[in-house]
Amino acid sequence: MGPPGAGKGTQASRVAHELGVPHVSTGEMFRDHAAAGTELGRKVQAIMAAGEYVPDELTVAMLEERLAEPDAEQGFILDGFPRTEGQVAALDTLIGEDGLDGVVVFEVDEDELVQRLLTRGRVDDTEDTIRYRFRVFRDQTAPLLAIYGRRGLLVSIDGIGDIDEVTERILSAIEAYDLRPGAIIEESEIPQ
Ligand code: AMP
């Protein structure tokens, strides 16, 4: 989790590759739908271009379908989901309240983020939209950190720096927290 432009997509893709689990990005899935001109794509195109959140109902249905695919059985890296309290609740229902191993939070300076987004050149990266997406993140998504904080799942990462460096930080944090998918638990470690 982190504000727009924090590097979630890039890093999620690299970490997923490293761990051998699928990278599940709801934003990417929506962009694919929009590009392919599916019914869902037509519904979400204007919403995305405006920097708004797609309604939970559509987002959750799409995610549920994705997580049911066989490649997600051993784990997955979620990128850009959950973004609302409703999505947290839906995810709890889908994978259980203890279903997530950890939540990586990107700490990044806002000025640097604006610069990054302006050079990314995506269609939803106009200056107005960027500002609006920040506000939406602050209002709707930042509060979710408290929920995962209470569950002891937050892992904070310094998101500024070389792409490789940031990937290393995340992988080290995952190792330190033993968040590897299917990590083997020694018998002596099983709580009695
Ligand atoms: P992203 O690639 O994660 O920045 O997502 C791009 C856009 O897709 C967002 O600005 C939203 O319009 C939409 N989107 C992606 N994920 C979600 C989500 N979990 N809930 C609602 N809208 C989403």
Side-chain angles (χ1 to χ4, degrees):
M1 296 177 91
K8 296 186 298 286
T10 306
Q11 295 298 338
S13 156
R14 296 172 69 124
V15 170
H17 183 78
E18 198 64 39
L19 299 179
V21 294
H23 166 210
V24 176
S25 158
T26 42
E28 210 170 280
M29 292 162 77
F30 284 135
R31 278 189 291 279
D32 287 347
H33 273 281
T38 66
E39 194 190 331
L40 178 61
R42 283 196 300 276
K43 274 189 200 158
V44 302
Q45 212 155 17
I47 299 174
M48 290 175 75
E52 304 268 8
Y53 283 172
V54 173
D56 283 354
E57 203 182 277
L58 297 176
T59 309
V60 168
M62 181 179 72
L63 183 86
E64 179 171 13
E65 219 171 89
R66 178 65 189 89
L67 295 187
E69 282 174 35
D71 66 337
E73 237 165 61
Q74 292 301 308
F76 39 81
I77 301 279
L78 290 179
D79 163 18
F81 186 99
R83 266 172 149 116
T84 65
E85 287 198 32
Q87 291 177 17
V88 171
L91 187 61
D92 285 345
T93 304
L94 281 179
I95 65 173
E97 244 188 70
D98 57 357
L100 287 180
D101 295 311
V103 176
V104 177
V105 184
F106 287 69
E107 307 286 350
V108 252
D109 177 74
E110 234 178 87
D111 290 339
E112 168 134 2
L113 283 188
V114 173
Q115 279 316 307
R116 274 197 208 181
L117 286 175
L118 286 173
T119 53
R120 189 164 68 173
R122 220 166 69 183
V123 283
D124 55 350
D125 283 344
T126 67
E127 201 165 335
D128 279 355
T129 312
I130 292 170
R131 269 203 214 100
Y132 186 66
R133 292 221 308 277
F134 269 111
R135 213 171 74 215
V136 173
F137 174 78
R138 263 197 306 270
D139 291 350
Q140 300 204 45
T141 303
L144 308 187
L145 298 180
I147 300 175
Y148 289 123
R150 281 196 294 275
R151 296 186 191 177
L153 291 178
L154 294 189
V155 184
S156 181
I157 295 293
D158 174 7
I160 300 287
D162 190 72
I163 290 182
D164 285 333
E165 232 172 79
V166 176
T167 307
E168 263 322 300
R169 284 181 205 141
I170 298 170
L171 290 172
S172 308
I174 287 175
E175 206 164 316
Y177 282 77
D178 203 14
L179 303 180
R180 278 161 294 141
I184 295 163
I185 299 171
E186 301 294 334
E187 213 174 327
S188 59
E189 292 170 356
I190 297 172
Q192 298 300 311

